[in-house]
Amino acid sequence: MTEKKTPLLDELEKGKWPSFVTEIKRAAVKSEAAGELLQVLERSYEERRGHWKHGGIVGVRGYGGGVIGRYVDEPETYPNVAEFHTIRINQPSGFFYNTKTLRTICDLWEKHGSGLTNMHGSTGDIVLLGCKTEHIQPIFDDYSEAGFDLGGSGSCLRTTNCCVGPGRCEYACYDTLEACYNITNEFMDELHRPMWPYKSKIKFSGCANDCTGSIARSDISVIGTWRDSLRIDQDAVKEYAAKKFDIQGRVCDKCPTSCLKFNNETQELTVIAEDCTRCMHCINMMPKAIQAGKEKGATILIGGKSTIVQSAFMSSVVVPFMKMEVEDDFEEFKDLVRRIWEWWDENGKTRERIGETIFRLGMGKFLRETEIPTVPQQVFRPRANPYVFWQQDDLDKSGTALDGSKL
Amino acid sequence: MTEKKTPLLDELEKGKWPSFVTEIKRAAVKSEAAGELLQVLERSYEERRGHWKHGGIVGVRGYGGGVIGRYVDEPETYPNVAEFHTIRINQPSGFFYNTKTLRTICDLWEKHGSGLTNMHGSTGDIVLLGCKTEHIQPIFDDYSEAGFDLGGSGSCLRTTNCCVGPGRCEYACYDTLEACYNITNEFMDELHRPMWPYKSKIKFSGCANDCTGSIARSDISVIGTWRDSLRIDQDAVKEYAAKKFDIQGRVCDKCPTSCLKFNNETQELTVIAEDCTRCMHCINMMPKAIQAGKEKGATILIGGKSTIVQSAFMSSVVVPFMKMEVEDDFEEFKDLVRRIWEWWDENGKTRERIGETIFRLGMGKFLRETEIPTVPQQVFRPRANPYVFWQQDDLDKSGTALDGSKL
Amino acid sequence: MAKLDQGPPNYKEMLPPIIKENYGTWRYHEIPRSGVLKHVSESGAALYSVRVATPRLVSIDFIRDVCTLADDYCDGFLRWTTRNNIEFLVSDEAKVNPLIDTLTAKGLCVGGTGAAISNIIHTQGWVHCHTPATDASGVVKAVMDDLYEYFDSMKLPAKLKMGLACCLNMCGSTHCSDIGIVGVHRTPPRIDHEKIRKGTEIPTLVASCPTGAIRPDPKNKSVIVNEDKCMYCGNCYTMSPAMEIYDPKNDGIAILIGGKVSNARSAPSFSRMVIPFLPNNPPRWPEVTDAIRDILELWIANAQRGERLGEWIERIGWERFFSLSGLPFSDMLIDDYIFARETFRTSAGFKF
Amino acid sequence: MAKLDQGPPNYKEMLPPIIKENYGTWRYHEIPRSGVLKHVSESGAALYSVRVATPRLVSIDFIRDVCTLADDYCDGFLRWTTRNNIEFLVSDEAKVNPLIDTLTAKGLCVGGTGAAISNIIHTQGWVHCHTPATDASGVVKAVMDDLYEYFDSMKLPAKLKMGLACCLNMCGSTHCSDIGIVGVHRTPPRIDHEKIRKGTEIPTLVASCPTGAIRPDPKNKSVIVNEDKCMYCGNCYTMSPAMEIYDPKNDGIAILIGGKVSNARSAPSFSRMVIPFLPNNPPRWPEVTDAIRDILELWIANAQRGERLGEWIERIGWERFFSLSGLPFSDMLIDDYIFARETFRTSAGFKF
């Protein structure tokens, strides 16, 4: 390990928040690459610039992604991080671990890499940060042997992700953990072998709190919901009231559709079920008293992504309600996403996320061609212009013009 | 006059609403053209199609617009409406008339044209509907002699328009009648001689009720407002309350910023002036009790237009507050619109309204180049993307790259 | 010799004495009855405006009749409104009822104030426009005959402003009306190559198309229309009579609702399409009058007091409007033009 | 030989017994103290989750330390959150406080629940990214050290979620965060023509530019950048090391605020730029930490209980936020990209 000083980075070992510098130093005890990373980073802090290059394609046999090549810009100065690639390992649903599994991850990474990780990458993967090209295949072989698989990179289905779901949340309207696991296994080819115009993400959130940021961050957003009325436990309501919780102010007044009425005299809370948009606010405020309905499923939205290229998009509703049942193997959902991807694959331009393709070609065309029924839930409001591209085959072409020509 | 039957149109002489068919028939008593119009129209009702063509340029000496050429598609069948042009006469501010003026309009039109008019066209003009090409110049000469001038058509400043203003409305925050008259006279050349990428409209509304539809319908929208607090007459408030007018429900609860508080005990209404957005709702509801503030002027917005080509645009704020004083001859406003038009004239494409030009080139560029100060009132909210086109001259280019080259 | 650039007549010459005397000092107004506005000034003077419908398309004899009435009751002063109503400006309260009696006797329609339908701003239609997809005046007459009870009363939840545009260009203020009636073509223009070769300037014609659907066909000395790009606006027919766009079997009317121009309570808003097509069925357009009445009655039955049509729908949600109205929702109602994205529902919160 | 396509480890093997037994039957939860969630199932079983911050970038020894704690207090079960916190899953209530004591003794940070700052989702920055305009981990460390009091307490008006992206591409969830910290380049790439001629595939490079600012320069066997079109995203550097985009004097940080991902009360919303540029001032970025603290304290002083940062600003209006905060408003904050139009204030209703 190098003995060079890192006075700027050392400043970041002070303070209460856990220090990534301390972590790099811990790794540097065993890894020369981690030690050299510290030097490169100190230099970035001095110069206020990065020192990494994207570079040649790296990967493992049989896969088209899962590894991100990374190279330092002065390999002669920093030979140990001349190659410093990232491996993405597909995390278990809900980021649940037993310590045996975690120790296996650590042991294998100590054997092959820098000893530095991200727990986790923003998309969800376990990120192994920094290894040489020659180690990539052995790393994969070892992890594979231990029961792990690679995550996605490139123009593929990226590693899917889900919220904690029924594992530890009373809000979950479908089994996000199983959906994520089952559906990821269904689309192994799409995940490991990039073949699309660009990347595509799926995130599974058990309710409209959307703890995975699915609507904001994924091309296909699966948000748990229910179709009947939310359920209210009046005894529990009275307990909240007895504890001076301001039900009127903090719950009813903040309800976006004013569908909740609190009767101060009877201390009862009632809901106009048909007006409820299942936004979760009241349940968040009074989890002991209010529950989701019984007829549960999910709303499917499409098109979310961050800023590059054509601005950030939010996903928008395509299927207001779909059953998400383990029993039928999520068939309806799988069938839907296959149609969606097929359409995008045929119509999308390179580096165009599906939300951008739909925006370019029209939501109507997308819905027609993927055979998704049109419903008013898909829009906040209808079009303001009259520029309907009429399906000419639907019109009455039997007439003739005054000059006798066929219209 | 032709004696041909018009059974379909005759149906539209029934019912309570005043009938345009009756009006055409009245004109047809004196005008063969009006009689033939009835025949053309009956045929349209039979065939469910129009029979008019746009055609050759028509006009008067010294002007580039004000007359719209119109021709029937079968001139042999309908010789009296073979030419059936429209003359636009610039209306007086606020559509106020004395009967002498109106009779002059009628007499001259009886002499030269079909005897049919629109009182008024959507933009504001007195529309004289239907004359032959050879009559256009004499019509103009006679109307000019009588004190009238043509309105706008083509890529010019279109005829300006205003609400009833201080003539008959307690809401008016500036003199819309005088502003419209004065400013129209200032820009006679822009109005009569089309020279821009496309048309440009100005509408003057005395308050945010915007009775001229200025924000929706004009490129430059002038909306009366005030800068201080609205004024409340507590005695009048008590009178409303005494008459069981629901002040809390119909006024306070509907206030978009919740800035009005009604004290049921004291029967007093108070306002948080700084929170008021001067939307006019409370004043509309309680005109006897609530008045605009004393420091009056106008908000200037830009870019409104209807659907063709790039969708309908609403005007958006460029100057939150501007004094609109008769005393200083509206100089600040005139100076502003000159800068705006000059910028548009330089940057706009053919058939591009200014709202579209600003959208294409960027509001920032527009504001910088017209030297309009940037303020947060111009937007509902700031940008969501980080794609600022930095003014490179403002940056520190003193550094050098690591390779020694100038940055 | 005509004077150039003398500008419009000076409005000051058009103002009755009561307005000159109380100019800018009006204090408040009230609506003593349907069709009458009473404005009171700081001086205590009261001006009564009696509002009367016109069909907009009027003969000079109509105007002369109106002048006679104005001379008799208003010292010769009156005005028009932006919505094509006449307002008789009565400064003598004693003359208000006699004027109304006379107007009624002559069959003129007094109303259009407050929580009422005012008058339908409209375009020329088959009377005088070159690209109409429907008539204007006839549809307005049919609709207003049907809804007359809401013109001469004030029993609606709030004011209702309507507009009609006879083609997709949406002239007038249909794009921001409570109810907009819009003539729509639905088929591409038919090219008369003979006519084009005779007298059309092809580059101008090509440039006239908003969506770039027209391109030159040099071999044929004419043009070609890419029908997938055409959205049937008829601009090309303005440039050349060889591009006929009318189509009796397929032209008709779309209904857009919920817009407004006022800033009161909320920002001005666009009307939204709820019915993509109704047939042209002159002279009375029963499909159109029925559809509008249904929407109106649904609003009357469900809105809160003071809630304009669009405010009501925004409160309950457009998805709820469609379920309440029973109007079919189809992909034709989903925007696919330039600013479509902001209409997509980017939220899991909606009503079933 | 490695198995292909075996998929992720089965989550079922990772669940502690209490979760297996109460899977899908959780009834409610509460937050007994900062950093601890208590979930109660229909059976009455209670699971305590003790939340602990991590710097995301951790060594394997850190993970091993954590495993030791999980073995001691949680029967070897734990999980991570999407915001890079660890949650120790304690099924024995008696072990909660001892665990917290041990964690505290080891200097680990317990908190991030309820009306608190959770942890900052962030990217790689100078540690591992090829186009960073700032560091990620260092800025996060500086900000969280400064705001630590809001991590280990629950005294904010509502939860506050932050994100950091080290360049304009806005990876992570900065585009929908209460506070987004975004690294920004501000100058166009510098072309090393020599390097391009040596090994860059020019068509790929040209195609990589989102705004079409790069075109081939065949005479020079290189490319030309139209600097007016460049918005400094650095995509071209991904394609070719000859397009250096970093610029120490002009790279820095922009602050965007008011976004959220939840559908509760209102639709998910984007963060909005309020500070276009702050300098990179490592190792502690004082300008950034000060700016964020100022915004936070303004929110704390003015928001209603339960009101997230963006909800507060939308209620008072962005123009009021700027006057309250004293932050300068400039044309750089006005959108001029693809969806700019929806941000323009199309209303005369605003606060001065």
Side-chain angles (χ1 to χ4, degrees), chain A residues 97-99, chain D residues 14-18 47-50 66-79 86-92 95-96 99 103:
Chain A
Y97 293 97
N98 59 48
T99 50
Chain D
M14 312 292 171
L15 303 177
I18 189 173
L47 169 64
Y48 294 83
S49 303
V50 179
V66 164
C67 287
T68 303
L69 289 169
D71 285 342
D72 290 350
Y73 295 92
C74 314
D75 307 314
F77 293 98
L78 73 164
R79 70 178 292 267
I86 291 168
E87 285 177 346
F88 291 94
L89 303 172
V90 187
S91 51
D92 179 355
K95 289 186 178 171
V96 172
L99 169 61
L103 290 165

Short mmCIF file of all heavy atoms in Angstrom, two decimals, chain A residues 97-99, chain D residues 14-18 47-50 66-79 86-92 95-96 99 103:
data_model
loop_
_atom_site.label_atom_id
_atom_site.label_comp_id
_atom_site.label_asym_id
_atom_site.label_seq_id
_atom_site.Cartn_x
_atom_site.Cartn_y
_atom_site.Cartn_z
N TYR A 97 -31.01 -9.93 3.19
CA TYR A 97 -29.83 -10.80 3.20
C TYR A 97 -29.76 -11.60 4.49
O TYR A 97 -30.20 -11.14 5.55
CB TYR A 97 -28.54 -9.97 3.12
CG TYR A 97 -28.35 -9.26 1.81
CD1 TYR A 97 -28.72 -7.93 1.66
CD2 TYR A 97 -27.80 -9.92 0.71
CE1 TYR A 97 -28.55 -7.27 0.46
CE2 TYR A 97 -27.63 -9.27 -0.49
CZ TYR A 97 -28.00 -7.94 -0.63
OH TYR A 97 -27.83 -7.30 -1.81
N ASN A 98 -29.14 -12.79 4.36
CA ASN A 98 -28.63 -13.42 5.57
C ASN A 98 -27.12 -13.19 5.56
O ASN A 98 -26.52 -12.90 4.52
CB ASN A 98 -29.02 -14.90 5.63
CG ASN A 98 -28.50 -15.66 4.45
OD1 ASN A 98 -27.33 -15.56 4.08
ND2 ASN A 98 -29.38 -16.45 3.81
N THR A 99 -26.54 -13.27 6.72
CA THR A 99 -25.10 -12.92 6.83
C THR A 99 -24.22 -13.90 6.08
O THR A 99 -23.15 -13.54 5.60
CB THR A 99 -24.69 -12.82 8.30
OG1 THR A 99 -25.12 -13.99 9.00
CG2 THR A 99 -25.32 -11.59 8.95
N MET D 14 -33.52 -15.35 2.34
CA MET D 14 -32.94 -14.21 3.05
C MET D 14 -33.87 -13.68 4.15
O MET D 14 -33.53 -12.73 4.83
CB MET D 14 -32.66 -13.06 2.07
CG MET D 14 -31.94 -13.47 0.81
SD MET D 14 -30.23 -13.98 1.14
CE MET D 14 -29.79 -14.64 -0.47
N LEU D 15 -35.04 -14.29 4.29
CA LEU D 15 -36.02 -13.72 5.21
C LEU D 15 -35.90 -14.36 6.59
O LEU D 15 -35.84 -15.58 6.71
CB LEU D 15 -37.43 -13.96 4.66
CG LEU D 15 -37.72 -13.41 3.26
CD1 LEU D 15 -39.14 -13.78 2.83
CD2 LEU D 15 -37.52 -11.90 3.22
N PRO D 16 -35.91 -13.56 7.62
CA PRO D 16 -35.86 -14.11 8.98
C PRO D 16 -37.18 -14.83 9.28
O PRO D 16 -38.21 -14.56 8.63
CB PRO D 16 -35.69 -12.88 9.87
CG PRO D 16 -36.19 -11.75 9.07
CD PRO D 16 -35.94 -12.10 7.63
N PRO D 17 -37.17 -15.71 10.27
CA PRO D 17 -38.38 -16.48 10.59
C PRO D 17 -39.60 -15.59 10.84
O PRO D 17 -40.69 -15.90 10.37
CB PRO D 17 -37.97 -17.24 11.87
CG PRO D 17 -36.50 -17.35 11.79
CD PRO D 17 -36.01 -16.13 11.07
N ILE D 18 -39.43 -14.48 11.54
CA ILE D 18 -40.58 -13.65 11.86
C ILE D 18 -41.26 -13.13 10.59
O ILE D 18 -42.48 -12.98 10.54
CB ILE D 18 -40.19 -12.49 12.81
CG1 ILE D 18 -41.45 -11.77 13.31
CG2 ILE D 18 -39.24 -11.53 12.15
CD1 ILE D 18 -41.19 -10.72 14.37
N LEU D 47 -41.93 -6.73 14.74
CA LEU D 47 -40.58 -6.71 14.18
C LEU D 47 -40.02 -5.30 14.30
O LEU D 47 -40.68 -4.34 13.91
CB LEU D 47 -40.64 -7.13 12.70
CG LEU D 47 -39.36 -6.93 11.87
CD1 LEU D 47 -38.22 -7.81 12.39
CD2 LEU D 47 -39.63 -7.24 10.40
N TYR D 48 -38.81 -5.20 14.85
CA TYR D 48 -38.17 -3.90 14.98
C TYR D 48 -37.07 -3.78 13.93
O TYR D 48 -36.20 -4.65 13.84
CB TYR D 48 -37.58 -3.74 16.37
CG TYR D 48 -38.64 -3.70 17.45
CD1 TYR D 48 -39.17 -4.88 17.96
CD2 TYR D 48 -39.13 -2.48 17.92
CE1 TYR D 48 -40.16 -4.86 18.93
CE2 TYR D 48 -40.13 -2.46 18.89
CZ TYR D 48 -40.65 -3.65 19.38
OH TYR D 48 -41.63 -3.62 20.33
N SER D 49 -37.15 -2.71 13.15
CA SER D 49 -36.10 -2.47 12.16
C SER D 49 -35.28 -1.27 12.64
O SER D 49 -35.83 -0.19 12.84
CB SER D 49 -36.70 -2.16 10.79
OG SER D 49 -37.55 -3.20 10.38
N VAL D 50 -34.00 -1.51 12.84
CA VAL D 50 -33.13 -0.42 13.31
C VAL D 50 -32.33 0.08 12.11
O VAL D 50 -31.56 -0.67 11.51
CB VAL D 50 -32.21 -0.91 14.44
CG1 VAL D 50 -31.29 0.22 14.88
CG2 VAL D 50 -33.05 -1.43 15.60
N VAL D 66 -20.86 -5.46 9.94
CA VAL D 66 -22.31 -5.40 10.01
C VAL D 66 -22.89 -6.81 10.20
O VAL D 66 -23.84 -7.01 10.96
CB VAL D 66 -22.86 -4.74 8.71
CG1 VAL D 66 -24.34 -5.01 8.54
CG2 VAL D 66 -22.57 -3.24 8.73
N CYS D 67 -22.31 -7.77 9.51
CA CYS D 67 -22.76 -9.16 9.64
C CYS D 67 -22.60 -9.65 11.08
O CYS D 67 -23.47 -10.35 11.62
CB CYS D 67 -21.99 -10.08 8.70
SG CYS D 67 -22.44 -9.89 6.97
N THR D 68 -21.51 -9.29 11.69
CA THR D 68 -21.28 -9.69 13.08
C THR D 68 -22.39 -9.15 13.97
O THR D 68 -22.95 -9.87 14.82
CB THR D 68 -19.91 -9.17 13.56
OG1 THR D 68 -18.92 -9.66 12.67
CG2 THR D 68 -19.62 -9.63 14.98
N LEU D 69 -22.73 -7.87 13.77
CA LEU D 69 -23.81 -7.28 14.56
C LEU D 69 -25.13 -7.99 14.28
O LEU D 69 -25.92 -8.26 15.20
CB LEU D 69 -23.95 -5.79 14.22
CG LEU D 69 -22.82 -4.90 14.71
CD1 LEU D 69 -22.93 -3.51 14.08
CD2 LEU D 69 -22.86 -4.79 16.24
N ALA D 70 -25.38 -8.30 13.01
CA ALA D 70 -26.64 -8.96 12.65
C ALA D 70 -26.69 -10.36 13.27
O ALA D 70 -27.75 -10.82 13.70
CB ALA D 70 -26.79 -9.03 11.14
N ASP D 71 -25.57 -11.03 13.32
CA ASP D 71 -25.54 -12.34 13.97
C ASP D 71 -25.86 -12.19 15.46
O ASP D 71 -26.62 -12.97 16.02
CB ASP D 71 -24.17 -12.99 13.79
CG ASP D 71 -23.98 -13.51 12.38
OD1 ASP D 71 -24.99 -13.68 11.66
OD2 ASP D 71 -22.82 -13.74 11.98
N ASP D 72 -25.28 -11.15 16.06
CA ASP D 72 -25.45 -10.99 17.52
C ASP D 72 -26.88 -10.59 17.90
O ASP D 72 -27.39 -11.01 18.93
CB ASP D 72 -24.49 -9.91 18.05
CG ASP D 72 -23.04 -10.37 18.00
OD1 ASP D 72 -22.81 -11.57 17.75
OD2 ASP D 72 -22.15 -9.53 18.20
N TYR D 73 -27.50 -9.76 17.07
CA TYR D 73 -28.78 -9.18 17.51
C TYR D 73 -29.98 -9.62 16.66
O TYR D 73 -31.11 -9.39 17.04
CB TYR D 73 -28.69 -7.65 17.49
CG TYR D 73 -27.71 -7.11 18.50
CD1 TYR D 73 -26.39 -6.87 18.16
CD2 TYR D 73 -28.10 -6.87 19.83
CE1 TYR D 73 -25.48 -6.39 19.08
CE2 TYR D 73 -27.19 -6.38 20.76
CZ TYR D 73 -25.88 -6.14 20.38
OH TYR D 73 -25.00 -5.67 21.31
N CYS D 74 -29.73 -10.18 15.48
CA CYS D 74 -30.84 -10.39 14.54
C CYS D 74 -30.84 -11.81 13.97
O CYS D 74 -31.39 -12.02 12.86
CB CYS D 74 -30.75 -9.41 13.38
SG CYS D 74 -30.41 -7.73 13.84
N ASP D 75 -30.21 -12.71 14.60
CA ASP D 75 -30.15 -14.09 14.09
C ASP D 75 -29.62 -14.12 12.66
O ASP D 75 -29.99 -14.99 11.88
CB ASP D 75 -31.55 -14.74 14.12
CG ASP D 75 -32.18 -14.64 15.50
OD1 ASP D 75 -31.47 -14.94 16.49
OD2 ASP D 75 -33.35 -14.23 15.58
N GLY D 76 -28.81 -13.14 12.34
CA GLY D 76 -28.16 -13.17 11.03
C GLY D 76 -28.98 -12.64 9.87
O GLY D 76 -28.67 -12.91 8.71
N PHE D 77 -30.00 -11.83 10.16
CA PHE D 77 -30.82 -11.28 9.06
C PHE D 77 -30.83 -9.75 9.08
O PHE D 77 -30.96 -9.14 10.16
CB PHE D 77 -32.25 -11.82 9.15
CG PHE D 77 -32.33 -13.29 8.88
CD1 PHE D 77 -32.38 -14.21 9.94
CD2 PHE D 77 -32.32 -13.77 7.58
CE1 PHE D 77 -32.43 -15.57 9.69
CE2 PHE D 77 -32.39 -15.14 7.33
CZ PHE D 77 -32.44 -16.05 8.39
N LEU D 78 -30.74 -9.19 7.93
CA LEU D 78 -30.76 -7.72 7.81
C LEU D 78 -31.14 -7.36 6.38
O LEU D 78 -31.25 -8.24 5.53
CB LEU D 78 -29.41 -7.12 8.18
CG LEU D 78 -28.24 -7.30 7.19
CD1 LEU D 78 -27.12 -6.32 7.52
CD2 LEU D 78 -27.72 -8.73 7.23
N ARG D 79 -31.35 -6.12 6.15
CA ARG D 79 -31.61 -5.70 4.77
C ARG D 79 -31.05 -4.30 4.54
O ARG D 79 -30.68 -3.59 5.47
CB ARG D 79 -33.11 -5.74 4.44
CG ARG D 79 -33.94 -4.67 5.14
CD ARG D 79 -35.42 -4.74 4.72
NE ARG D 79 -35.60 -4.36 3.33
CZ ARG D 79 -35.90 -3.11 2.92
NH1 ARG D 79 -36.06 -2.13 3.80
NH2 ARG D 79 -36.05 -2.83 1.65
N ILE D 86 -28.80 0.57 6.13
CA ILE D 86 -28.98 -0.82 6.58
C ILE D 86 -30.13 -0.85 7.56
O ILE D 86 -30.32 0.09 8.34
CB ILE D 86 -27.68 -1.33 7.26
CG1 ILE D 86 -26.58 -1.48 6.20
CG2 ILE D 86 -27.92 -2.65 8.00
CD1 ILE D 86 -25.21 -1.69 6.81
N GLU D 87 -30.93 -1.90 7.50
CA GLU D 87 -31.93 -2.12 8.53
C GLU D 87 -31.68 -3.45 9.23
O GLU D 87 -31.76 -4.51 8.59
CB GLU D 87 -33.35 -2.06 7.94
CG GLU D 87 -33.76 -0.63 7.63
CD GLU D 87 -35.13 -0.51 6.96
OE1 GLU D 87 -35.66 -1.53 6.49
OE2 GLU D 87 -35.66 0.61 6.91
N PHE D 88 -31.35 -3.36 10.50
CA PHE D 88 -31.21 -4.59 11.30
C PHE D 88 -32.60 -5.05 11.69
O PHE D 88 -33.39 -4.26 12.21
CB PHE D 88 -30.37 -4.29 12.56
CG PHE D 88 -28.93 -4.02 12.24
CD1 PHE D 88 -28.47 -2.71 12.07
CD2 PHE D 88 -28.03 -5.06 12.08
CE1 PHE D 88 -27.15 -2.45 11.77
CE2 PHE D 88 -26.68 -4.80 11.78
CZ PHE D 88 -26.25 -3.49 11.61
N LEU D 89 -32.90 -6.30 11.42
CA LEU D 89 -34.26 -6.82 11.60
C LEU D 89 -34.32 -7.58 12.93
O LEU D 89 -33.97 -8.77 13.00
CB LEU D 89 -34.63 -7.73 10.43
CG LEU D 89 -34.54 -7.04 9.05
CD1 LEU D 89 -34.72 -8.04 7.92
CD2 LEU D 89 -35.57 -5.91 8.94
N VAL D 90 -34.76 -6.90 13.97
CA VAL D 90 -34.72 -7.44 15.32
C VAL D 90 -36.10 -7.98 15.68
O VAL D 90 -37.07 -7.23 15.71
CB VAL D 90 -34.30 -6.34 16.32
CG1 VAL D 90 -34.10 -6.95 17.71
CG2 VAL D 90 -33.07 -5.61 15.84
N SER D 91 -36.17 -9.27 15.98
CA SER D 91 -37.47 -9.84 16.32
C SER D 91 -37.65 -9.92 17.84
O SER D 91 -38.75 -10.19 18.31
CB SER D 91 -37.63 -11.23 15.68
OG SER D 91 -36.52 -12.03 15.98
N ASP D 92 -36.59 -9.69 18.56
CA ASP D 92 -36.67 -9.74 20.02
C ASP D 92 -36.56 -8.31 20.54
O ASP D 92 -35.50 -7.68 20.49
CB ASP D 92 -35.50 -10.60 20.53
CG ASP D 92 -35.48 -10.68 22.06
OD1 ASP D 92 -36.31 -9.99 22.72
OD2 ASP D 92 -34.63 -11.41 22.58
N LYS D 95 -33.68 -6.87 22.48
CA LYS D 95 -32.37 -6.63 21.87
C LYS D 95 -32.26 -5.27 21.17
O LYS D 95 -31.18 -4.90 20.70
CB LYS D 95 -32.07 -7.74 20.85
CG LYS D 95 -31.78 -9.09 21.50
CD LYS D 95 -31.35 -10.10 20.46
CE LYS D 95 -31.03 -11.44 21.12
NZ LYS D 95 -30.81 -12.49 20.10
N VAL D 96 -33.37 -4.55 21.10
CA VAL D 96 -33.35 -3.29 20.34
C VAL D 96 -32.40 -2.29 20.97
O VAL D 96 -31.49 -1.77 20.32
CB VAL D 96 -34.77 -2.70 20.21
CG1 VAL D 96 -34.72 -1.32 19.59
CG2 VAL D 96 -35.64 -3.63 19.38
N LEU D 99 -28.73 -3.22 20.89
CA LEU D 99 -28.19 -3.05 19.53
C LEU D 99 -27.88 -1.58 19.27
O LEU D 99 -26.80 -1.25 18.77
CB LEU D 99 -29.18 -3.58 18.49
CG LEU D 99 -28.85 -3.22 17.02
CD1 LEU D 99 -27.49 -3.80 16.61
CD2 LEU D 99 -29.94 -3.73 16.08
N LEU D 103 -24.34 0.01 18.35
CA LEU D 103 -24.15 0.78 17.11
C LEU D 103 -23.58 2.15 17.43
O LEU D 103 -22.63 2.62 16.79
CB LEU D 103 -25.51 0.94 16.38
CG LEU D 103 -26.08 -0.34 15.76
CD1 LEU D 103 -27.55 -0.14 15.41
CD2 LEU D 103 -25.28 -0.72 14.53
#
